[in-house]
Amino acid sequence: MPNHLAAETSPYLLQHADNPVDWYPWGKEALEAAQAQNKPILLSIGYSACHWCHVMAHESFEDKEVAAVMNAHFINIKVDREERPDIDQIYQSAHHALNHRPGGWPLTMFLTPDQKPFFGGTYFPKQARHGLPGFLQLLPKIASAYHTRTADIEQQNTALLQLLAQSQPTSSAMDNSALSRQPIDHAWQQLTQQFDEQYGGFGKAPKFPHPVELQFCLRRYAIDNHTHALHMVTHTLKKMAQGGLYDQLGGGFYRYSTDRYWRIPHFEKMLYDNALLLPLYAETWLLTDNPLFKQVVTKTADWIMHDMQADAAAGGGYFSSLDADSEQVEGKYYIWEQATVQAALTSEEYAIAAPYFGLDRPPNFENQYWHLEAVQTVAEVAAANRINLETAQQLINSTCEKLLAIRTQRIPPARDEKILTSWNALMIKGMARAGQIFERTDWIHSAQHAIDFIRATLWKDGRLLATFKDDKAHLNAYLDDYAFLLDCLLTLLQIDFRQSDLDFAIHLADTLLDQFEDKTAGGFFFTSHDHETLIQRPKTGHDGAMPAGNGIAAIALQRLGYLLSESRYLKAAEQTLAIFSATFTQHASSYCSLLTALEEQLDPIRIVQLTGQNETELQAWRTALLPCSLHTLIVAPPFPYELSRSPDSLMGRSTQNGTTRARVCMGRRCLPEIDSLHELLQICKVHGKIAIS
């Protein structure tokens, strides 16, 4: 019979609804059962696209013997980390404190009935192997410890809660006048030291894309003219795009590379990774004209619209992820046998495809399969086969079309179709920005459909909800939901002004201050003031796979504050920087989002408004200014004059003779109107394109 998960909307929880384990979702019923029965809680946190979550489920949670032990000794709670990042954040931190190493998924934590963790790990096999204890043998020992070592557990819990509290920023760093560029320079130095000069990216295997850090490096070129910073970005993006991290046939990026070379990934595709990489590739193309980057953006955006967006009848929101596994085997959907490829192609196609994709080399996946990567350039394979570049590219294109057609006949990975507000906000910004740069109105419309869906479905009674699936929107939204959504609206406003978007942005900013701001110490809590009480209320500023909510909140509030001359928003951003200043000074490269906000406070953004009656000339000015938007806010469409809520300083006013002119404001200071594009580009520090091989 189904357990307590049967009524949930999360695909991850529903994957476990028929387990013999008596799973509960996190909530009052489970927590009260633990108290009433004096049983410890077994908390299992994962997500639907997670390979090792599936492995542990098949080995243990679907096993009646293991389930019987779990049911006898524990109240078992299953959490989707994508729906409940608040719970995941707390217990990942607890795992790190208890085990002195990072966590991950599946996260397996054992709690007292009052939610305090006393033991934990990540993946446990059913029987002991590879140095890991067996789950079946571990469970009764933990249950026994809970009942026989109460005093030890209470003492450990006290120390753990103190450690978690000490990890939070304190109000001792509220002197805003002490802020300087030093952390920005320090972060840049750290990133140059961490950079892999040979293969791109930062650090060693496993290697993650780090789009937030790469965006910070791109700013170093855009603002400081560091050509090495642009090299770091272009080299990394090129290596990722040519490697197995990128889906060479269908577009889009996988989660991370298991090796240093970007060759073999973990095969899940996450919305947020692609949302952050999409504008990064587009903006880097803007500076370099590299056709590879344009190709990556085009294929990825088209894949998003085709495979990861609900149709118009369903609202147009973006889905969360594609599973790593198909037919219970990781990567099976994506890998190839050499003979299959050769049989599908003409001899001319295979002569190019084999050296291009590495099919003429030893297998790169489990010693018997090939995961496609571009091991040579088109120019190299063209020269080796003595054909021209155009013909070689055509053969590669036809190869990709044929192989993709074959792949679509396979059993595909499962798609998690829940729509998360925060991840949608990242993708809305990514699609809109890419659409702006490449003048693709279909991508911009895709973003607008998604924001309209969020506003219609997940904005209820002046508050955001975090997740939607099966016609049900629920769960109080988190800091990331508000901050990311506010940020993406500011991008949309620059591309196609809609009064509804400006109104929505103001409502979000006001609710952010009302429900999340720490009025005493500064900064923003991850959960709202009326959120469920948990053992900790995090206030984090460091970036992870996604940018920090506090960093994006500070950036967006600061920009909106200057745009609307709203001092409340500016003050909240200033206090956020102040509360985190000591932390980002010590660990600079982990705080790139906050450092971007710091940079824009020290050197206020340039807000540019264009006016005039010659639409062709206006569009030419907007296009010329696009590189400026790497480090500033451009209000390309003027606010209509009749809109009373628009700030007076930025209302659109057509000049009498229709001449194209620009008004530039830097912080609270505005320059006289400018009628020379050359002068405007100098003021906005627009660099020319650089050719990067």
Side-chain angles (χ1 to χ4, degrees):
M1 292 181 63
N3 51 42
H4 302 274
L5 302 180
E8 295 299 306
T9 61
S10 160
Y12 176 65
L13 298 187
L14 291 174
Q15 287 173 2
H16 297 271
D18 293 315
N19 289 169
V21 177
D22 188 21
W23 290 116
Y24 288 83
W26 182 278
K28 184 177 180 181
E29 183 181 7
L31 299 175
E32 287 183 348
Q35 293 279 4
Q37 299 175 41
N38 190 27
K39 283 185 176 181
I41 294 168
L42 193 165
L43 174 64
S44 176
I45 302 177
Y47 60 101
S48 66
C50 167
H51 169 70
W52 286 103
C53 299
H54 299 326
V55 173
M56 190 166 179
H58 298 323
E59 290 179 349
S60 294
F61 304 148
E62 296 170 7
D63 185 277
K64 292 183 179 180
E65 182 183 13
V66 176
V69 178
M70 291 173 66
N71 296 338
H73 295 293
F74 301 94
I75 298 297
N76 303 290
I77 298 179
K78 178 63 76 171
V79 165
D80 182 341
R81 67 104 173 176
E82 296 168 357
E83 284 194 341
R84 294 302 303 262
D86 53 337
I87 294 172
D88 182 56
Q89 203 174 120
I90 290 169
Y91 292 106
Q92 293 286 353
S93 297
H95 174 279
H96 189 274
L98 289 171
N99 296 297
H100 307 290
R101 62 177 183 270
W105 301 280
L107 183 67
T108 309
M109 299 297 290
F110 296 89
L111 323 179
T112 61
D114 58 356
Q115 308 173 35
K116 297 171 185 173
F118 62 92
F119 184 82
T122 51
Y123 161 76
F124 291 104
K126 178 183 175 181
Q127 304 292 345
R129 68 171 185 268
H130 304 309
L132 295 171
F135 200 51
L136 190 58
Q137 291 74 42
L138 188 64
L139 292 171
K141 294 179 181 178
I142 293 173
S144 175
Y146 167 74
H147 291 290
T148 62
R149 300 182 60 186
T150 304
D152 292 339
I153 289 173
E154 288 180 354
Q155 183 178 7
Q156 176 183 273
N157 284 344
T158 300
L160 177 63
L161 293 178
Q162 289 176 346
L163 190 62
L164 293 178
Q166 290 168 4
S167 68
Q168 298 291 85
T170 64
S171 58
S172 61
M174 284 296 289
D175 182 10
N176 209 41
S177 64
L179 296 175
S180 72
R181 280 192 58 89
Q182 184 177 358
I184 298 169
D185 297 334
H186 190 203
W188 164 237
Q189 292 167 3
Q190 289 178 336
L191 290 172
T192 57
Q193 292 167 2
Q194 297 163 15
F195 181 63
D196 183 341
E197 286 285 354
Q198 187 172 3
Y199 297 104
F202 303 101
K204 300 178 181 179
K207 188 174 278 186
F208 290 81
H210 290 282
V212 180
E213 290 84 348
L214 289 170
Q215 192 70 249
F216 179 82
C217 290
L218 200 62
R219 285 177 63 88
R220 302 282 56 78
Y221 170 71
I223 296 173
D224 302 325
N225 206 20
H226 282 315
T227 54
H228 183 60
L230 186 59
H231 162 72
M232 288 168 63
V233 176
T234 56
H235 186 56
T236 300
L237 297 190
K238 180 180 176 182
K239 289 295 186 182
M240 290 197 304
Q242 293 173 334
L245 186 77
Y246 176 67
D247 183 350
Q248 301 291 333
L249 300 182
F253 290 86
Y254 306 105
R255 180 69 196 93
Y256 66 90
S257 175
T258 61
D259 53 66
R260 180 189 173 191
Y261 323 106
W262 307 110
R263 181 169 296 146
I264 302 300
H266 264 308
F267 284 90
E268 61 263 38
K269 285 185 179 180
M270 312 302 294
L271 186 71
Y272 60 84
D273 287 320
N274 288 280
L276 293 167
L277 289 169
L278 192 62
L280 180 62
Y281 271 90
E283 290 175 351
T284 309
W285 173 85
L286 192 62
L287 297 175
T288 64
D289 260 343
N290 189 322
L292 174 62
F293 300 161
K294 182 176 183 178
Q295 176 186 326
V296 166
V297 172
T298 301
K299 290 183 72 171
T300 299
D302 290 347
W303 164 70
I304 288 293
M305 290 178 62
H306 185 267
D307 288 359
M308 298 299 288
Q309 186 168 26
D311 59 31
Y318 298 111
F319 301 133
S320 295
S321 63
L322 294 181
D323 208 322
D325 298 3
S326 54
E327 302 179 75
Q328 298 187 4
V329 177
E330 184 179 13
K332 184 174 182 179
Y333 183 73
Y334 300 103
I335 58 177
W336 294 89
E337 293 181 334
Q338 188 183 56
T340 303
V341 176
Q342 190 165 7
L345 305 178
T346 66
S347 58
E348 292 83 4
E349 288 169 335
Y350 190 75
I352 296 296
Y356 181 75
F357 286 125
L359 295 164
D360 57 352
R361 303 184 182 192
N364 61 9
F365 189 78
E366 296 181 351
N367 297 317
Q368 57 180 326
Y369 302 108
W370 280 262
H371 175 54
L372 301 184
E373 54 178 330
V375 299
Q376 293 190 48
T377 66
V378 180
E380 288 171 336
V381 296
N385 285 268
R386 298 181 179 180
I387 60 176
N388 62 50
L389 191 65
E390 183 179 358
T391 301
Q393 186 63 63
Q394 290 173 349
L395 290 169
I396 290 171
N397 291 345
S398 61
T399 292
C400 290
E401 289 173 5
K402 289 181 178 181
L403 296 184
L404 186 60
I406 294 172
R407 197 175 80 176
T408 55
Q409 300 304 310
R410 299 174 179 175
I411 297 174
R415 182 172 64 189
D416 188 323
E417 295 189 355
K418 68 176 179 293
I419 294 171
L420 297 168
T421 301
S422 59
W423 296 12
N424 267 251
L426 293 174
M427 184 54 76
I428 290 165
K429 179 176 181 177
M431 289 292 285
R433 185 70 171 130
Q436 179 190 32
I437 290 171
F438 289 105
E439 298 181 357
R440 288 287 299 265
T441 56
D442 53 338
W443 300 350
I444 296 170
H445 291 157
S446 168
Q448 289 175 330
H449 288 321
I451 194 69
D452 291 344
F453 172 81
I454 297 293
R455 181 166 44 233
T457 310
L458 288 143
W459 177 249
K460 299 294 183 183
D461 302 320
R463 298 291 294 277
L464 274 176
L465 298 171
T467 182
F468 174 90
K469 190 176 181 295
D470 298 335
D471 295 323
K472 180 182 179 181
H474 65 121
L475 298 177
N476 287 346
Y478 310 98
L479 170 62
D480 290 359
D481 298 297
Y482 284 88
F484 296 172
L485 203 57
L486 177 58
D487 186 49
C488 83
L489 283 164
L490 291 175
T491 298
L492 286 170
L493 284 168
Q494 297 173 49
I495 300 168
D496 181 16
F497 177 82
R498 301 190 302 177
Q499 181 67 31
S500 58
D501 289 342
L502 178 60
D503 290 341
F504 195 19
I506 293 169
H507 288 316
L508 289 171
D510 290 345
T511 307
L512 192 57
L513 267 58
D514 181 57
Q515 287 293 326
F516 292 85
E517 187 183 17
D518 185 339
K519 303 292 186 182
T520 303
F524 296 91
F525 293 107
F526 187 71
T527 54
S528 61
H529 298 324
D530 59 357
H531 195 79
E532 169 191 2
T533 301
L534 302 171
I535 63 168
Q536 186 193 23
R537 193 180 179 197
K539 188 200 294 182
T540 55
H542 60 83
D543 302 308
M546 294 185 291
N550 267 285
I552 299 301
I555 293 169
L557 286 168
Q558 199 160 238
R559 293 179 175 185
L560 189 63
Y562 284 128
L563 188 63
L564 302 180
S565 300
E566 177 53 74
S567 59
R568 292 183 301 121
Y569 302 161
L570 295 173
K571 182 180 178 182
E574 290 170 4
Q575 291 182 330
T576 301
L577 289 170
I579 190 69
F580 285 103
S581 61
T583 312
F584 64 55
T585 298
Q586 295 171 6
H587 309 286
S589 65
S590 298
Y591 290 81
C592 289
S593 297
L594 276 166
L595 294 183
T596 297
L598 170 63
E599 191 163 41
E600 293 188 357
Q601 186 188 74
L602 297 174
D603 182 14
I605 56 171
R606 290 154 178 79
I607 300 176
V608 181
Q609 186 196 26
L610 303 178
T611 58
Q613 296 177 351
N614 186 328
E615 185 56 40
T616 301
E617 191 172 44
L618 279 169
Q619 185 57 44
W621 282 43
R622 292 181 192 123
T623 301
L625 280 167
L626 273 176
C628 183
S629 58
L630 294 171
H631 56 85
T632 191
L633 174 65
I634 298 176
V635 185
F639 289 141
Y641 182 73
E642 64 273 12
L643 297 178
S644 59
R645 296 195 67 177
S646 299
D648 290 341
S649 63
L650 290 171
M651 282 184 181
R653 294 181 176 86
S654 297
T655 54
Q656 289 184 353
N657 62 5
T659 302
T660 301
R661 294 186 179 181
R663 180 166 187 157
V664 180
C665 295
M666 293 169 283
R668 293 184 172 94
R669 181 172 65 91
C670 294
L671 303 177
E673 279 194 322
I674 300 166
D675 58 10
S676 163
L677 177 57
H678 177 71
E679 183 182 352
L680 179 61
L681 295 179
Q682 287 184 319
I683 291 171
C684 291
K685 302 179 181 178
V686 175
H687 300 305
K689 294 194 178 188
I690 280 189
I692 298 290
S693 60

